[in-house]
Amino acid sequence: MWLSRYEMELWPALGALASVLRDELGPGDVMQVNLSSRATAAMHLSAAGCRLAGAGCRPLGIVPPEAALDSLAEGGATILLTCPSYLAELVTAARRRGLGAGDFRLRRLVVGGEVLSASLAQAASRTFGVPRVEDSYSMTEVAPVSGRSCSQAHQHYDLNVGHTELVDLDTGEPAAPGTLGTLVITPYFPYRDCMPVFRYDTGDVARCLPDAPLRCELADVPATSKILGKANQLLRLPTGEIVTPRQLIEAIEALPAEPWPARYRATTCDGRIRLTLPASVLAGYGEAEAGRHFAEAGLDIDLDIVGDDKATSLRHTRSDLHESTFASQHALVGA
């Protein structure tokens, strides 16, 4: 992707203005960014937006979770921006160290880029003392169009800077209420300058909401369901049922062992779902009980259990991009 200087100055300005007007960012805030330092655009936009809003920005990258927790607790961050899989590592590490809401100053916790399960979101809210985890949507290819989550688990898309469509998986026509589709986004000029894209199919799947007025706090902004996963990761069963990555992740991460982030491989075999999980996921929980757990979640599966040493090869996550960049640095950018 090629980005112009104009875009790299305009986009954070628009974001900073919106954040200030919504009291989401301002002087006195410190945003800690635990995204991969390879995410150049996201890192730049975060730092530039904080500078324009008079806030501090601490770009740490995907460092060892203990270092990130130290920075959160001792550095007084008020906003955390990260991805769900790394958030899972932070929650687990905080629990291991006996840290809780009283040890942090966070007022906002924002994630994006992966499926965030309800069980992880609830655990993170309790651990870090925030009302809820904000599940945002963005993609470099369609910037500056983005999405915000609401309290009723809808994903709302900014209609000022681009046009967002939900296109039926099979027909390419607008998705009907209750059906699945992929997000197709067209950013508007002059917000997109260097590499305009027209009807860019993101491959991100969502469900079209029922054809009825919304009742959430963002009801006037177009919305779909939460992102359910990528189109190339859907499982199609002979019955016509389509199983999404979100269904699998929600069910796996709701197991008593709290296996965050979910490591799994899902395929279809003889018309059934074959779900491969590491052994620790079923700790204290037999295969029969696990089968009932998944059945209650609407998933009829055959389990395949492998050793924990194979866990990371089952499903790759953004938190796998661990790095040492900036790990020992506590200087603020943009303050």
Side-chain angles (χ1 to χ4, degrees):
M1 295 299 298
W2 289 86
L3 304 175
S4 68
R5 182 185 298 275
Y6 162 78
E7 288 169 318
M8 295 303 278
E9 292 175 351
L10 174 66
W11 297 348
L14 292 172
L17 177 60
S19 296
V20 169
L21 291 175
R22 293 194 290 255
D23 192 31
E24 295 175 346
L25 182 67
D29 277 316
V30 175
M31 178 187 289
Q32 179 164 310
V33 185
N34 287 115
L35 302 174
S36 172
S37 61
R38 305 177 211 187
T40 309
M43 283 290 198
H44 169 82
L45 294 176
S46 299
C50 285
R51 176 178 57 80
L52 291 169
C57 184
R58 186 177 298 133
L60 287 189
I62 303 295
V63 297
E66 291 76 13
L69 287 174
D70 288 341
S71 179
L72 284 172
E74 299 168 10
T78 59
I79 302 169
L80 172 62
L81 174 62
T82 188
C83 54
S85 57
Y86 189 71
L87 177 62
E89 293 192 15
L90 293 180
V91 171
T92 301
R95 287 179 168 185
R96 188 167 55 243
R97 293 173 56 173
L99 297 175
D103 298 298
F104 306 101
R105 292 183 55 225
L106 289 176
R107 70 183 185 95
R108 293 181 62 216
L109 204 168
V110 186
V111 300
E114 294 173 315
V115 170
L116 172 70
S117 71
S119 60
L120 175 57
Q122 292 166 4
S125 294
R126 292 193 298 268
T127 300
F128 294 107
V130 296
R132 68 183 181 92
V133 180
E134 301 171 35
D135 193 0
S136 63
Y137 177 82
S138 62
M139 175 183 281
T140 303
E141 291 85 345
V142 297
V145 180
S146 61
R148 290 194 292 153
S149 60
C150 71
S151 59
Q152 294 187 16
H154 307 142
Q155 199 79 41
H156 297 261
Y157 307 94
D158 190 343
L159 50 72
N160 296 302
V161 296
H163 180 58
T164 301
E165 307 168 73
L166 192 64
V167 175
D168 186 274
L169 294 175
D170 300 314
T171 67
E173 296 296 319
T179 64
L180 298 177
T182 57
L183 290 179
V184 175
I185 299 177
T186 302
Y188 294 146
F189 178 84
Y191 308 107
R192 190 56 177 259
D193 172 57
C194 186
M195 285 186 69
V197 294
F198 178 68
R199 303 196 76 225
Y200 185 90
D201 192 332
T202 65
D204 292 315
V205 176
R207 190 175 298 278
C208 187
L209 297 178
D211 190 13
L214 300 180
R215 303 295 183 185
C216 61
E217 67 274 20
L218 298 175
D220 293 332
V221 182
T224 65
S225 74
K226 288 184 176 180
I227 300 300
L228 305 176
K230 287 291 186 181
N232 61 2
Q233 296 173 353
L234 300 175
L235 298 177
R236 294 177 180 259
L237 302 180
T239 59
E241 179 186 2
I242 298 177
V243 176
T244 68
R246 177 174 288 279
Q247 289 174 268
L248 296 169
I249 292 170
E250 291 277 10
I252 294 168
E253 295 193 354
L255 284 164
E258 298 179 333
W260 308 320
R263 302 286 188 174
Y264 70 93
R265 180 169 58 243
T267 58
T268 55
C269 181
D270 297 328
R272 292 173 57 83
I273 298 173
R274 186 171 185 81
L275 184 63
T276 303
L277 298 172
S280 60
V281 169
L282 302 185
Y285 213 48
E287 287 192 34
E289 290 179 284
R292 286 192 290 272
H293 169 86
F294 286 109
E296 290 173 359
L299 298 169
D300 185 18
I301 64 168
D302 293 323
L303 280 175
D304 177 28
I305 307 301
V306 299
D308 289 347
D309 58 316
K310 298 180 180 179
T312 55
S313 66
L314 297 179
R315 174 189 175 224
H316 297 298
T317 68
R318 292 177 183 267
S319 64
D320 292 333
L321 298 173
H322 273 270
E323 56 195 342
S324 59
T325 309
F326 312 128
S328 61
Q329 302 297 318
H330 289 269
L332 300 182
V333 177

